Amino acid sequence: MRPWIPLPVFLFCVLCLCSPAAAQLPEIPSAWSGIWEMSVTERDCGSEVILDSWTESDTLCAGDAFAFEEVPGGLSPECIGSVDDTALDFSCTASQEVFTGCTATITVTLQATRTGETMAGDVTFDVVYTGLCPLPDQCTVQDYTGTRVAAAPAECAQVPAVTASWGAWKSRY
């Protein structure tokens, strides 16, 4: 089985917003295709305190859609943005009632630039609670850098996009 589509870590989700069938999600251009070694540092948005850091290897396949894991219950977010051979700027927002009278609005913003065999960018996860919610708002940013270490594997041409792409790595939340 081919690894999940990361775009950095490569690129990200908490409750995971976007449906794989969402028509507005762009495809990965061939310029981003390959196996990437990624270094990620996660920090709190407000305090800038570093929460975690790690490295990992991710595979991107040309033609696969950038996608977040589908949320149980069919949550359908609004996604806007663009991707080309050198840049990604993408954002998805969705709201869901987490319990009676408490709604969570989740926004995931992805930004990256690619120059040759390197990439850098960040992912912001912002959760805002409204209504009768005893939960505090949450915001984290993952800064990442990556180096392409190999071309895309043969499996890229043989295996369709995994429907649970970025959610796999976000399971750490």
Side-chain angles (χ1 to χ4, degrees), residues 22-53:
Q24 73 269 30
L25 295 174
E27 292 183 355
I28 296 171
S30 59
W32 291 82
S33 186
I35 299 172
W36 295 83
E37 291 293 325
M38 304 298 300
S39 293
V40 183
T41 301
E42 182 175 45
R43 58 187 165 81
D44 179 80
C45 293
S47 68
E48 299 292 320
V49 169
I50 294 175
L51 305 172
D52 197 4
S53 63

Side-chain angles (χ1 to χ4, degrees), residues 90-156:
F90 205 81
S91 181
C92 291
T93 300
S95 293
Q96 183 172 19
E97 188 171 60
V98 290
F99 52 83
T100 304
C102 179
T103 299
T105 299
I106 304 162
T107 303
V108 179
T109 303
L110 324 159
Q111 298 175 324
T113 58
R114 186 197 62 79
T115 304
E117 304 301 304
T118 63
M119 73 165 75
D122 60 62
V123 182
T124 302
F125 300 92
D126 194 18
V127 182
V128 176
Y129 295 97
T130 55
L132 302 172
C133 300
L135 304 170
D137 294 346
Q138 301 170 7
C139 182
T140 59
V141 176
Q142 293 177 352
D143 298 310
Y144 58 87
T145 58
T147 302
R148 185 177 5 221
V149 295
E155 293 85 23
C156 280

Side-chain angles (χ1 to χ4, degrees), residues 68-101:
F68 293 103
E69 183 175 324
E70 187 172 5
V71 175
L75 183 62
S76 181
E78 295 290 323
C79 298
I80 58 170
S82 63
V83 62
D84 61 29
D85 286 353
T86 60
L88 168 72
D89 190 355
F90 205 81
S91 181
C92 291
T93 300
S95 293
Q96 183 172 19
E97 188 171 60
V98 290
F99 52 83
T100 304

